[in-house]
Amino acid sequence: MLRLPKFELARPERIEDALALLAEHGERAQILAGGTDLVPNMKHELFTPDVVVSLARIPGLVGVRVERDGTLRIGAMTTLDALAHDPLVRERAPALAQAASLISGPQLRRMGTLGGNVMLDTRCQWYNQTHFWRSALGFCLKKDGTLCHVVAGGKKCVAAASNDTAPALMTLRAALVFRGQEGARTIAIDDLYKADGIYNKKTKGEILTEVRIPATPAGHRGAYGKLRDRGSIDFPLLGVAVRLDLELAGENGRGAVECADVCAVALQARPVRIQEVAECLRGTRPGTSAFAEAVEAVAEKAKKQCHPLENIPGDAEYRREMVPVYVRRTLRAAAEGAGPVEHV
Amino acid sequence: MGENPRMRLLRLRVNGDLHEVGAPDHWTLLEVLRYRLGLIGSKQGCDKGDCGACTVLQDGKPLLSCITLAALAEGHEVTTIEGLMPAHVARGGAGADPVQEAFDRCGALQCGFCQPGMMLSARALLNENPAPSRTEIRAALAGNLCRCTGYTQIVQAVELAIAEAAGVEPPRPAWSPDANPWKAAPPKTRPARTRSTRRAAEREEG
Amino acid sequence: MAARDLHGKGPPWKEGFRIIGKAHPKSDGIEKATGQAIYADDIALPGMLHAKILRSPHAHARIRSIDATRALSLEGVQAVITGKDLPIPYGVIPWTPDEHALALEKVRFVGDEVAAVAAVDEDTANAALKRIQVDYEPLEAFLDPWEALRTPAPQIHAEIRGKPVEGNISKHVDLSFGDVERGFAEADVVLEDDYFFHGTTHTPIEPHCAVAQVSADGVLTLWSSTQITHYVQRALARVLELPESRIRVIQPCLGGAFGGKSDPFALEFVVSKLAFLTGRPVKCLWTREEVFYAHRGRHPMHMHYKTGARKDGRITAVDARILIDGGAYSSFGLVTAYYAGQLLTGPYDFPAYRFDSTRVFTNKPPCGPKRGHGSVQPRFAFEVQLDEIAERLGLDPIELRRRNFQGQDTSTVNGQRITSNGFLACLAEVERASRWKERRGKLPHGRGLGVAGSMYISGTNYPVYPNDMPQAGVQLKVDRSGLVTVFTGGNDIGQGSNSVCRYIVAEELGLDPLDVRVVAADTDLCPVDLGAYSSRVTFMVGNATIDACRKLRRQIVAAVVEAWGVVPERVAMGHGEVYDREDPSHRIPSREAFHLAETRFDTLGATGSYNTPKLGGDYRGGTIGASPAYSFTAHVVEATVDVETGRITVANCWIAHDCGRALNPMLVAGQIEGSAYMGIAEALLEVHDVNRFGLHAGPSLLDYRIPTSVDTPELHALIVESLDPEGPYGAKEAGEGPLHPSIPAISNAVFDAVGIRLRHLPFTPAKVLAALREASARPPAPKVARAPAKERR
């Protein structure tokens, strides 16, 4: 058995107590949500906290509800399985429901949480290995070493963001509520991630409590596309989230694109937004050749803008080839109100 | 962090029994089940949640016990493979749980190592959805790796359990095109009675 | 005296089979289903210590020194051992004892075992490992077999068993049969190409585990998740310098093996030695990562095949050159180098054949036997090349195979004896089931059908150590209660060999299967069986069981005949009774017949044996590949290719397998399905390789991808029965043969779908896209003048 390193577990029943523990122990404490990321990483001795602070007993962190103004509020400890099946999420934030439905496998989706996925550690084939394995090559830039094995002579860690919910939430303009000892603050998800594979988030010592998704208009469409070798369990080799907001039904039953967004993950240390998407698609109408051409244009732009590295296991050149394919297929799926896009 | 971690007294409800067991915080639920409670039916396949052999049910939902901290199972109802048959008997059934019987009758247990986890995932599926399609069955079992069967007889076993619960004939396998090998469930006999229980029953009946 | 002369392929009773041929549940099914089955890691003994093994971080290095003093001083650590404590080398093949339980002077791959500790728990043992200091002198490491082939120094092994090794060559075999050059000269078409099969591994869901206990009077008991209890006993005796009679090896219930547990492994020697040193039981459970380092998986093979054929499709000559990447140790490598050529000579007849195979050592986890040992790779290359020949000649690929069918009761070009051969029926079955004639070549672009065939051994002609004793032995015990216990050394690794014993005894003695219990794979209790490898157990243990049953039956019938005053022909056994055929009202329960027999003959018991006849060609290596019976298989795969992503999806796989007779069709189907699944996985998903540091690229079940239930297609198992004259009731193997054709059938289906040839495994989406791009830039290949109209399909 690969054993966990020793630690003390705290199961606070109030968020204030959790925050106090984090403040008291600083770097020596770590938050445990569903455990599906932290526990395997601890078995790999990537994290060896003295204190593990479980959020399981803190009330008010689970659940999906919609405010009067249409804002969707999701507790950070809501499981991925619950998200995938929740009718409010499926209707108002389909890209998020689809992304959640594709994460890992059935058991893990019942354990893993939205907050845990938003805050997922970055991944790399040189990093997500046992202590013995990593010591055999002298460790790496992200953990315990100074050399990057992906980019020869690289000084910046390029471990990949691997969380499927992140690009979906970016297209949904999600806001994240963090609780710190000083109180709560809300940041846009676009402001959470940074291009640093070692730790790709701009928060420290705070607890994500809630994800808020602004009301999506009636003509909102979203979809998620995931490339992976198997149809279950694997992390993404490429993840694409799409948003299309259509004007309320025009003559053909589908109005023109008012708003469009495409975000991707599993390329580099942060999830990325493809640039110039809205300019291509705005004003075109799904089902027309103008729309199809605009989709092609977006796919080409995405290919030019995306540069997967040999960080996660999987052919980087192939992943790059698949960027336009998955962007195209996911845009089409979103336009049709379908998805998710995967190979099974 | 010292060499000798503090032991925590855990109160775990497993298969309907309340256990008090001591374990340090870094012990997983799988380790406590196997090495403290002697419930060796849940298996260890991959150390870190990649294979599903360690699947148990927590409040009826399948989870991976090898990446669940034992302490976090407190306050929940855990079901392991050893609990399926007694639960079935307690509900008035005879013999093993219909999922277990079906797996046996379909040949789905080759080496058997992945199957406790597989059967629990199947049991959880049928509890939630008594008539899933073949696609839904495969999707529900997509977190349980099997190396022996190629999944065919596993899916057949789940479909047999579904068919028998519904009182219909299950689909015929490719290797038996002319007759359905599972058409009639063999009559499930209750455990043989000893002399004393028989006398007691006769007294009651008489 | 071999059992094969005593019984035939029919039922033992005039009334026909009552048990055999039916879908009875397994003898251990419900026990596994309820979580009661005991596997090695389920064993816990009082005072048991836990062992952990320190492994080499270098791919190739000399060990200068090991300092374990700090480890020993850790509280809870009971013993630490290194190579010096186990200096005698071993190897599963007696001619290549090139392994040490713990490295003695050098380490040869990342993960090679160096030291071991026994401690009160795993955490302490792990902490102790971190305190062991090893001083290494790194050496140049070979990760590429071509480089190892052409670079004689540094040598990975300098000498084995006293004989110097030539450079880094593990084994070289060059055999030629018939006149190959003339064959090519006579051919109307000659195709020649390179094919590559990559590395894959077994990944049984149960990691290796061993528990050792030494009694106060020095008897060692080892429980181990192994396929080869008998060979492990011999290896332990050799390395620990103990008499074999003081070593008991027991295989508990086992969670999958597929050839990955058919070597003796370091953990078995380590726990045994530590148990001796500490006087306490010791367990070692490998982590999943360690299972990847142990490996013994499929050898990567770089193959060059040249085949000649006449216009009518008849093969005239085959020439193969194969480079085999062996990894750091020999394992079964001597056999692999032979199998790579010897097992290709069926189900087709070709009059001239040559193969030249070289196995080299490299500084990577050692390769060994994986389901279809040594023959899956060549079969892949050959069956794709056959398809290419069919294309060139304008022949249907199934028709091409039919025209080359070797027949039954014949002999191959390399001197193997073929008896029963149901290959034509297999082709007919998959042709029918897949609707081949109406669909192949006619499906829309992106969808296609591919066919392939194969043959495989049902056990081999020789034990791993030379001797003329039976290869399988069985003992029966009869209880007055009516229970018959079967003792067999045979290793049930999930394939159901124990169940086969049960069914045979129940059939022969007319018992309810529940009144037959099996005790297996315990060297104290059970007669010797050589182990579960080369698909031998059903065939050999089955025959030995029938042998034992017939002896016992004679005694029982003789006693009943005396008691009833009837002729023996009137006595029949069935349904738990013994009865008079001419007066069925005259019947007694089986157990009463046992009492009559025990009264008449005293305590009852019988042994049975099986040994193969002398087989094989009369040349060096001629016995390797010889088998008392061969199974035959044909696959048709229906595949779709997404031309945008390059992804291949197998929609359907039809597998027709000639298993002689299906003793239990449900279990045979399970083996067929499991084999096909494993082949498809090797073709499309699994990759075992090391990175540029010599480190396994992804030693976890997350990174080493085996298919989930949503990645596996519908597998249609079709059973063909050719009733072999030597198998038990005509049965042959079903555990390895059905894997072979799946891989080439996928390549051939892709050709039908999108017109590209995949000769390089695995068939990744990137390779498919590259081939599609190349094909669209290239003009089509010329076809040879078609065969006359009447021969065309």
Side-chain angles (χ1 to χ4, degrees):
Chain A
M1 180 77 79
L2 197 59
R3 298 275 301 173
L4 278 167
K6 294 169 186 163
F7 59 85
E8 238 185 73
L9 176 69
R11 299 177 295 181
E13 293 178 14
R14 300 182 326 137
I15 196 152
E16 293 79 8
D17 298 333
L19 288 165
L21 283 165
L22 294 179
E24 181 192 337
H25 295 280
E27 298 281 307
R28 304 305 309 144
Q30 204 130 9
I31 299 167
L32 181 75
T36 58
D37 190 38
L38 181 63
V39 174
N41 283 349
M42 285 177 69
K43 289 199 176 206
H44 280 163
E45 293 180 59
L46 298 170
F47 299 99
T48 52
D50 289 336
V51 177
V52 170
V53 182
S54 166
L55 303 179
R57 289 184 169 179
I58 299 175
L61 299 179
V62 175
V64 179
R65 53 192 185 288
V66 69
E67 309 252 86
R68 232 194 301 256
D69 67 356
T71 302
L72 200 57
R73 293 179 63 178
I74 309 174
M77 289 290 282
T78 308
T79 67
L80 299 166
D81 182 66
L83 266 189
H85 291 108
D86 188 283
L88 289 172
V89 179
R90 289 169 67 142
E91 191 203 320
R92 291 160 183 268
L96 178 63
Q98 290 180 14
S101 76
L102 294 182
I103 292 173
S104 187
Q107 296 94 319
L108 203 134
R109 286 195 290 276
R110 287 174 166 91
M111 302 160 69
T113 65
L114 176 60
N117 192 257
V118 169
M119 301 298 285
L120 198 79
D121 188 21
T122 54
R123 299 187 65 82
C124 179
Q125 60 186 318
W126 304 99
Y127 166 78
N128 292 95
Q129 306 287 358
T130 61
H131 187 272
F132 164 74
W133 195 101
R134 293 183 293 111
S135 73
L137 52 60
F139 303 103
C140 80
L141 189 61
K142 179 166 159 104
K143 173 73 184 167
D144 296 336
T146 54
L147 272 177
C148 174
H149 303 289
V150 177
V151 180
K155 292 282 176 270
K156 199 153 183 218
C157 177
V158 291
S162 299
N163 38 3
D164 296 290
T165 59
L169 289 172
M170 284 169 66
T171 63
L172 291 163
R173 319 262 186 275
L176 308 172
V177 180
F178 283 90
R179 273 293 298 270
Q181 278 205 307
E182 288 83 52
R185 64 186 185 108
T186 305
I187 64 173
I189 189 163
D190 288 5
D191 295 333
L192 173 64
Y193 300 109
K194 53 182 172 151
D196 177 3
I198 292 180
Y199 184 67
N200 70 343
K201 300 160 198 77
K202 295 179 191 162
T203 66
K204 261 278 154 71
E206 295 165 278
I207 299 175
L208 177 62
T209 57
E210 191 176 274
V211 174
R212 289 196 181 150
I213 297 170
T216 45
H220 169 78
R221 301 260 203 272
Y224 189 72
K226 182 167 183 168
L227 172 71
R228 52 182 171 178
D229 281 345
R230 297 184 291 183
S232 181
I233 304 178
D234 299 349
F235 282 90
L237 296 177
L238 170 67
V240 174
V242 158
R243 175 183 189 139
L244 287 175
D245 290 352
L246 308 177
E247 279 174 353
L248 285 180
E251 306 126 29
N252 304 325
R254 275 188 293 180
V257 174
E258 279 185 322
C259 168
D261 195 10
V262 176
C263 294
V265 77
L267 302 164
Q268 46 181 275
R270 54 175 300 169
V272 294
R273 167 167 284 117
I274 307 301
Q275 303 299 313
E276 297 163 29
V277 168
E279 292 89 312
C280 290
L281 284 163
R282 206 178 284 123
T284 66
R285 193 164 272 129
T288 65
S289 57
F291 179 77
E293 281 161 26
V295 167
E296 279 315 306
V298 169
E300 276 311 297
K301 283 184 194 294
K303 183 171 185 186
K304 286 201 179 72
Q305 294 171 28
C306 291
H307 307 280
L309 297 159
E310 302 279 349
N311 41 21
I312 54 180
D315 186 338
E317 184 52 47
Y318 176 72
R319 280 155 58 214
R320 178 142 197 259
E321 298 276 322
M322 288 303 103
V323 166
V325 177
Y326 272 73
V327 165
R328 177 191 311 129
R329 291 186 180 186
T330 313
L331 275 169
R332 285 193 199 132
E336 286 156 28
V341 171
E342 51 165 349
H343 71 276
V344 288
Chain B
M1 190 183 24
E3 292 284 3
N4 295 312
R6 194 185 59 155
M7 296 287 267
R8 185 189 290 270
L9 182 65
L10 299 174
R11 286 186 176 80
L12 295 174
R13 194 167 271 289
V14 184
N15 300 331
D17 296 333
L18 183 60
H19 294 274
E20 289 192 334
V21 60
D25 284 345
H26 70 288
W27 277 55
T28 63
L29 177 59
L30 181 67
E31 288 162 349
V32 168
L33 288 171
R34 287 182 57 74
Y35 305 125
R36 287 283 203 262
L37 297 179
L39 290 168
I40 45 85
S42 307
K43 301 303 181 192
Q44 197 290 112
C46 72
D47 306 301
K48 60 181 184 77
D50 301 326
C51 76
C54 69
T55 302
V56 298
L57 300 184
Q58 183 171 275
D59 303 326
K61 300 228 185 297
L63 65 58
L64 303 168
S65 63
C66 78
I67 53 172
T68 299
L69 299 182
L72 295 180
E74 277 195 313
H76 295 282
E77 177 73 54
V78 174
T79 308
T80 71
I81 191 69
E82 292 97 334
L84 281 193
M85 181 159 85
H88 179 65
V89 169
R91 285 193 300 267
D97 180 287
V99 166
Q100 292 169 309
E101 294 281 347
F103 271 62
D104 183 30
R105 286 166 58 209
C106 287
L109 299 139
Q110 288 190 28
C111 85
F113 200 77
C114 76
Q115 302 293 19
M118 188 78 70
M119 282 182 277
L120 286 168
S121 289
R123 173 38 69 214
L125 168 70
L126 296 183
N127 287 350
E128 213 177 82
N129 177 2
S133 66
R134 187 170 281 192
T135 307
E136 287 170 320
I137 294 171
R138 283 184 181 267
L141 301 181
N144 291 85
L145 296 179
C146 175
R147 198 54 167 158
C148 292
T149 64
Y151 304 101
T152 303
Q153 285 172 338
I154 293 172
V155 172
Q156 285 168 351
V158 177
E159 291 182 339
L160 175 62
I162 294 167
E164 293 200 322
V168 301
E169 191 174 310
R172 228 173 260 188
W175 53 267
S176 182
D178 303 322
N180 194 318
W182 310 307
K183 185 174 179 150
K188 193 67 231 168
T189 54
R190 290 193 168 269
R193 287 168 159 180
T194 61
R195 271 206 200 96
S196 54
T197 56
R198 193 178 343 131
R199 285 211 195 99
E202 281 161 7
R203 254 181 270 126
E204 265 197 66
E205 289 153 15
Chain C
M1 179 67 215
R4 66 191 178 285
D5 298 328
L6 302 179
H7 53 83
K9 38 189 161 167
W13 302 102
K14 273 208 283 272
E15 291 78 359
F17 285 118
R18 294 185 175 115
I19 310 281
I20 296 295
K22 300 194 175 40
H24 283 279
K26 292 174 78 183
S27 60
D28 54 6
I30 202 66
E31 168 195 326
K32 288 173 174 170
T34 51
Q36 288 168 352
I38 302 291
Y39 300 78
D41 186 48
D42 301 332
I43 295 169
L45 297 170
M48 189 170 75
L49 298 172
H50 294 265
K52 286 284 177 184
I53 294 177
L54 183 68
R55 295 174 178 277
S56 165
H58 297 284
H60 199 193
R62 227 181 297 280
I63 299 173
R64 285 204 199 97
S65 67
I66 305 180
D67 181 358
T69 42
R70 282 191 63 237
L72 270 166
S73 67
L74 186 62
E75 181 176 340
V77 173
Q78 298 295 321
V80 180
I81 52 174
T82 67
K84 296 201 187 76
D85 298 291
L86 292 160
I88 297 174
Y90 63 92
V92 65
I93 303 287
W95 288 271
T96 50
D98 61 0
E99 301 190 55
H100 290 91
L102 298 170
L104 195 52
E105 279 158 8
K106 55 189 277 196
V107 289
R108 297 179 173 89
F109 69 101
V110 178
D112 210 351
E113 291 99 351
V114 173
V117 307
V120 290
D121 55 42
E122 282 184 305
D123 288 341
T124 308
N126 283 330
L129 286 189
K130 287 194 168 152
R131 287 170 164 228
I132 298 176
Q133 279 164 320
V134 185
D135 187 17
Y136 293 102
E137 179 198 319
L139 301 167
E140 184 188 344
F142 296 103
L143 302 181
D144 175 72
W146 296 105
E147 215 192 305
L149 179 66
R150 62 173 169 258
T151 316
Q155 283 185 296
I156 297 171
H157 293 274
E159 55 100 56
I160 296 177
R161 203 167 159 249
K163 274 177 55 184
V165 174
E166 187 195 323
N168 282 306
I169 293 175
S170 161
K171 176 70 180 174
H172 177 233
V173 175
D174 185 353
L175 287 171
S176 190
F177 310 94
D179 187 340
V180 165
E181 290 313 316
R182 182 162 132 214
F184 287 132
E186 286 174 354
D188 293 311
V189 62
V190 175
L191 288 187
E192 190 172 358
D193 228 313
D194 290 319
Y195 301 82
F196 174 68
F197 203 113
H198 64 306
T200 65
T201 195
H202 323 77
T203 65
I205 306 296
E206 182 206 23
H208 300 58
C209 181
V211 181
Q213 181 173 49
V214 179
S215 71
D217 51 7
V219 176
L220 166 68
T221 302
L222 178 83
W223 291 264
S224 179
S225 178
T226 179
Q227 301 171 245
I228 49 159
T229 30
H230 177 62
Y231 294 144
V232 167
Q233 183 195 39
R234 291 170 56 87
L236 286 171
R238 178 193 161 100
V239 171
L240 298 171
E241 296 185 285
L242 283 175
E244 284 166 44
S245 61
R246 304 294 159 87
I247 300 176
R248 179 180 187 181
V249 180
I250 302 170
Q251 176 230 309
C253 210
L254 185 152
F258 315 107
K261 295 176 178 171
S262 55
D263 284 72
F265 284 107
L267 84 173
E268 293 162 327
F269 302 100
V270 159
V271 295
S272 301
K273 185 71 180 179
L274 290 169
F276 271 106
L277 288 175
T278 60
R280 295 167 66 165
V282 180
K283 171 191 281 192
C284 184
L285 167 67
W286 275 350
T287 62
R288 176 55 57 180
E289 181 189 14
E290 292 180 285
V291 178
F292 283 99
Y293 297 142
H295 192 39
R296 315 292 155 142
R298 207 175 297 294
H299 289 75
M301 288 193 189
H302 299 257
M303 302 172 279
H304 187 87
Y305 271 81
K306 182 173 174 184
T307 303
R310 297 202 302 261
K311 259 206 300 269
D312 65 356
R314 289 302 315 272
I315 301 166
T316 59
V318 178
D319 185 302
R321 267 169 287 138
I322 304 172
L323 179 65
I324 303 171
D325 184 348
Y329 292 98
S330 294
S331 178
F332 278 84
L334 283 197
V335 177
T336 316
Y338 277 102
Y339 276 2
Q342 291 285 71
L343 297 179
L344 198 70
T345 53
Y348 319 111
D349 169 51
F350 33 98
Y353 178 47
R354 180 175 169 215
F355 73 93
D356 181 322
S357 68
T358 306
R359 182 183 192 269
V360 291
F361 290 115
T362 50
N363 293 109
K364 299 190 278 192
C367 298
K370 180 184 174 189
R371 205 172 198 171
H373 177 203
S375 78
V376 170
Q377 309 92 316
R379 180 60 59 180
F380 153 67
F382 188 60
E383 292 286 325
V384 172
Q385 193 158 79
L386 272 187
D387 220 59
E388 297 185 74
I389 287 177
E391 180 209 349
R392 188 69 77 81
L393 295 176
L395 281 174
D396 175 274
I398 291 185
E399 177 60 21
L400 174 72
R401 287 165 171 84
R402 281 193 176 114
R403 290 189 185 181
N404 283 288
F405 176 56
Q406 70 196 148
Q408 62 184 41
D409 301 312
T410 180
S411 128
T412 66
V413 68
N414 57 342
Q416 318 290 21
R417 181 197 74 175
I418 306 285
T419 51
S420 63
N421 190 333
F423 184 62
L424 284 185
C426 292
L427 283 177
E429 277 290 281
V430 293
E431 185 181 48
R432 172 195 61 75
S434 65
R435 288 159 46 226
W436 174 271
K437 287 191 187 140
E438 58 184 272
R439 302 200 303 149
R440 202 264 172 179
K442 301 179 185 127
L443 292 168
H445 185 77
R447 192 172 203 96
L449 295 178
V451 69
S454 69
M455 87 169 181
Y456 202 64
I457 54 180
S458 299
T460 60
N461 188 40
Y462 54 90
V464 130
Y465 64 94
N467 73 85
D468 289 320
M469 292 177 282
Q471 295 200 38
V474 161
Q475 188 151 27
L476 299 178
K477 174 183 103 62
V478 181
D479 190 69
R480 293 181 193 172
S481 66
L483 166 74
V484 172
T485 312
V486 187
F487 295 85
T488 166
N491 298 85
D492 191 325
I493 55 174
Q495 85 285 49
S497 57
N498 290 356
S499 305
V500 166
C501 288
R502 163 184 275 193
Y503 305 143
I504 291 176
V505 173
E507 184 71 62
E508 290 281 326
L509 301 179
L511 299 171
D512 182 321
L514 283 175
D515 288 328
V516 179
R517 288 204 269 288
V518 182
V519 174
D522 181 330
T523 59
D524 261 22
L525 303 177
C526 309
V528 170
D529 179 76
L530 297 184
Y533 63 97
S534 296
S535 279
R536 53 176 297 288
V537 185
T538 291
F539 195 93
M540 301 199 186
V541 173
N543 275 332
T545 307
I546 296 176
D547 188 26
C549 286
R550 302 253 161 123
K551 290 172 184 163
L552 194 54
R553 207 172 99 187
R554 277 197 286 278
Q555 282 186 310
I556 297 168
V557 169
V560 169
V561 154
E562 265 182 38
W564 291 357
V566 298
V567 293
E569 290 68 38
R570 283 170 66 161
V571 178
M573 297 156 116
H575 307 300
E577 296 178 316
V578 178
Y579 60 94
D580 180 344
R581 279 204 181 93
E582 288 176 27
D583 180 10
S585 67
H586 192 187
R587 53 183 61 235
I588 54 174
S590 305
R591 95 179 161 274
E592 280 181 33
F594 293 167
H595 298 172
L596 289 173
E598 190 180 342
T599 306
R600 174 68 181 80
F601 295 107
D602 296 332
T603 303
L604 298 170
T607 60
S609 312
Y610 177 78
N611 206 348
T612 60
K614 284 267 166 283
L615 294 165
D618 188 19
Y619 52 90
R620 180 142 183 257
T623 55
I624 304 185
S627 176
Y630 295 87
S631 69
F632 296 90
T633 318
H635 277 229
V636 165
V637 161
E638 180 173 355
T640 60
V641 178
D642 180 327
V643 298
E644 267 196 322
T645 65
R647 183 178 295 273
I648 299 167
T649 304
V650 175
N652 277 293
C653 182
W654 294 271
I655 311 106
H657 180 74
D658 168 22
C659 65
R661 183 191 292 278
L663 300 180
N664 179 330
M666 187 169 74
L667 300 196
V668 170
Q671 291 303 303
I672 292 174
E673 291 151 9
S675 295
Y677 144 91
M678 200 171 262
I680 293 168
E682 289 187 71
L684 299 178
L685 271 179
E686 298 179 31
V687 178
H688 167 98
D689 202 357
V690 299
N691 60 30
R692 61 185 187 267
F693 295 94
L695 261 173
H696 191 292
S700 75
L701 288 182
L702 178 63
D703 292 332
Y704 185 85
R705 323 251 207 235
I706 70 177
T708 69
S709 55
V710 297
D711 301 303
T712 309
E714 292 296 325
L715 303 165
H716 309 280
L718 306 163
I719 295 173
V720 169
E721 293 179 316
S722 62
L723 300 184
D724 188 77
E726 284 196 26
Y729 307 126
K732 301 185 287 189
E733 75 89 35
E736 292 184 84
L739 186 154
H740 294 64
S742 56
I743 301 163
I746 292 174
S747 174
N748 295 340
V750 168
F751 176 74
D752 189 36
V754 290
I756 59 174
R757 282 287 174 204
L758 297 174
R759 303 184 188 92
H760 211 266
L761 282 160
F763 305 145
T764 60
K767 283 192 185 129
V768 171
L769 288 182
L772 284 170
R773 270 193 293 268
E774 199 206 345
S776 63
R778 197 188 53 209
K783 278 194 157 77
V784 166
R786 285 183 161 242
K790 66 171 162 56
E791 285 173 84
R792 265 218 309 259
R793 281 284 183 273

